[in-house]
Amino acid sequence: MKPIETIKVLVASVIAVVVMVGIARFSYTPMIPEMVAALGLSKSVVGMLATVNYAGYLTGAVLITRISDLGLKVRLYQLGLVVAVVSTVLMGYTTNVWLWFILRFISGLSTSAGMLLGAGLLMSWLIKNNQKSELGVFFSGIGLGIVLTAVTAELIKDPFTWDQQWVIYGLVALALLIPAWRWMPDYRACALPKTGTTAGGDERSRFIRILQLAYFCAGVGYVVTATFLVAIAESMPELQGQGWLVWLIAGLSATPACWLWDVFSRRWGQWLALYLAYTLNSVSILMLIVNTSLASVMVSSVIYGVSFIGIVSMMLAMVGRAFPENPSRPMSRLTFSYGIAQMMAPAVVGYLADVEGNYTNGLWLTLVVMALGVLMLHLARRAKEREAEPALSP
């Protein structure tokens, strides 16, 4: 295969992530202070809108675990691109909270298509075409999406009202949809022969179940910061007006980090890389608690961007490689637990912030959950090693 064709496929997959995850999901983060200022939304409603979005993401993950037909996966992936655009634009055409809930739920479905179907389809394409089965480049689309929404937010927040801003995000997504669609390969030709065996064993093994718990904890660490980082920054007197910059830095950090984590895990091993990513994510949360200076929050956003993207990329690539015949299925099993975390955590932290007037206790709770995640990660590694022992025996 010509290198230019490979580049087109990778670029198309990254752009699709920018549309279905970066814009459909992350445009909401810089929109929070805009909608609060214009409409007086409570922190509870803000948290519930994020929760509904992740409910859609979780629903999509569950549905994907039940899909094995490659043609259907491709059609749903393409539908996700269209839904991402439409659900974003329509957010600006209503002030009905229940319609917002529906639109954010649908947006969550498109995000699951972009993350899980997209990652699985690309993994199959890479294996089929004898490329490295790593997803670092693919997940760089998340960081690019954050950068795009942050820059767009700064450019449009003064000249345009909150509803016009939603429409602009949707139009940007529409423009990006064109190259993503044109350069998309025929994923239906990437089906791998069924061998009846997998490299990773049983998808319902003790190892996978414990790994799901570890990924649940990572989901809490990810979503609390993803949802409230800009709001936390804007709530600090010395950081008012700087929320977009904090979000931009997180995205800039996440974009190259995917590739760097791939390099690190090849050199030092995937488990050490995951331990480090979990620890760094915890440090980013702790910094938001102990120091509210501009420098501290900026450094926290850098560490957050580097760490959360590494966890997602390495976790999903690890289980995808273990089950090459249908990588989307184990990826979806892990994402099911990640999605539950993303449903629960914003609502809980938003409620605590409403009651107490700040995010401190919500962040402490998040930090405790991340510590449990490191423990679960260690137990998953032990379970994996025990499963491998019989195969190593004479």
Side-chain angles (χ1 to χ4, degrees):
M1 175 170 289
K2 296 179 181 179
I4 187 63
E5 294 300 322
T6 300
I7 292 173
K8 281 186 175 181
V9 171
L10 292 175
V11 170
S13 68
V14 169
I15 293 176
V17 173
V18 172
V19 172
M20 290 189 274
V21 183
I23 295 178
R25 159 64 187 100
F26 288 123
S27 59
Y28 178 62
T29 299
M31 283 302 300
I32 290 175
E34 298 296 314
M35 296 176 74
V36 168
L39 304 171
L41 297 185
S42 70
K43 292 184 176 68
S44 293
V45 171
V46 168
M48 283 303 299
L49 282 169
T51 296
V52 169
N53 181 250
Y54 289 115
Y57 186 56
L58 175 61
T59 302
V62 172
L63 293 175
I64 290 169
T65 63
R66 301 179 180 276
I67 299 173
S68 57
D69 181 77
L70 188 58
L72 179 58
K73 288 182 179 181
V74 174
R75 290 192 295 273
L76 290 175
Y77 178 65
Q78 293 170 333
L79 179 62
L81 279 167
V82 176
V83 168
V85 174
V86 174
S87 63
T88 301
V89 169
L90 291 181
M91 283 292 292
Y93 283 92
T94 182
T95 56
N96 186 297
V97 173
W98 290 104
L99 289 178
W100 281 341
F101 285 160
I102 293 172
L103 290 171
R104 295 310 292 163
F105 180 87
I106 294 173
S107 173
L109 289 174
S110 74
T111 300
S112 68
M115 282 280 286
L116 303 174
L117 291 178
L121 291 171
L122 181 61
M123 177 71 78
S124 296
W125 186 90
L126 291 171
I127 295 173
K128 184 77 172 181
N129 290 277
N130 300 313
Q131 305 288 327
K132 289 181 180 178
S133 56
E134 297 173 341
L135 296 175
V137 173
F138 174 83
F139 285 110
S140 68
I142 298 177
L144 288 172
I146 294 174
V147 171
L148 178 63
T149 55
V151 172
T152 303
E154 180 62 14
L155 292 174
I156 67 178
K157 69 177 184 179
D158 291 329
F160 300 97
T161 60
W162 70 270
D163 52 335
Q164 293 171 334
Q165 291 176 42
W166 274 114
V167 175
I168 290 171
Y169 281 120
L171 293 177
V172 172
L174 178 61
L176 292 172
L177 182 148
I178 297 171
W181 199 287
R182 286 178 58 87
W183 294 343
M184 189 185 304
D186 183 7
Y187 284 123
R188 288 167 292 192
C190 298
L192 297 173
K194 294 185 179 297
T195 62
T197 61
T198 63
D202 183 4
E203 290 179 28
R204 295 175 177 80
S205 65
R206 185 169 185 268
F207 159 67
I208 292 293
R209 292 198 303 270
I210 299 175
L211 202 64
Q212 283 182 276
L213 292 175
Y215 206 45
F216 170 88
C217 296
V220 174
Y222 154 75
V223 73
V224 169
T225 310
T227 303
F228 297 109
L229 179 62
V230 173
I232 289 171
E234 295 282 359
S235 69
M236 301 172 181
E238 61 270 62
L239 293 178
Q240 285 185 0
Q242 303 297 322
W244 76 276
L245 185 58
V246 173
W247 191 235
L248 173 64
I249 289 174
L252 287 172
S253 304
T255 301
C258 301
W259 175 78
L260 294 175
W261 282 115
D262 280 346
V263 173
F264 185 92
S265 61
R266 285 200 300 268
R267 176 67 178 84
W268 299 103
Q270 61 186 5
W271 290 108
L272 180 59
L274 283 168
Y275 287 142
L276 179 59
Y278 270 70
T279 301
L280 287 174
N281 196 270
S282 301
V283 169
S284 72
I285 297 166
L286 182 62
M287 291 184 70
L288 292 176
I289 299 173
V290 300
N291 194 325
T292 59
S293 67
L294 177 61
S296 179
V297 174
M298 292 297 185
V299 173
S300 173
S301 67
V302 170
I303 298 173
Y304 166 73
V306 168
S307 58
F308 95 80
I309 202 68
I311 294 171
V312 172
S313 176
M314 290 186 289
M315 279 281 213
L316 296 185
M318 178 170 65
V319 297
R321 285 191 296 267
F323 301 91
E325 291 180 4
N326 190 358
S328 294
R329 182 174 293 172
M331 289 179 183
S332 299
R333 288 184 65 85
L334 254 66
T335 302
F336 177 82
S337 57
Y338 204 73
I340 291 176
Q342 292 174 96
M343 283 179 61
M344 295 170 55
V348 172
V349 174
Y351 172 76
L352 290 174
D354 266 347
V355 171
E356 299 170 5
N358 60 66
Y359 294 95
T360 301
N361 284 342
L363 292 173
W364 275 117
L365 180 61
T366 305
L367 194 59
V368 170
V369 173
M370 283 302 297
L372 290 174
V374 176
L375 175 61
M376 291 298 105
L377 193 64
H378 180 68
L379 293 177
R381 179 181 183 178
R382 294 284 299 275
K384 181 64 174 176
E385 290 170 349
R386 282 195 293 271
E387 288 177 6
E389 287 172 1
L392 298 175
S393 301

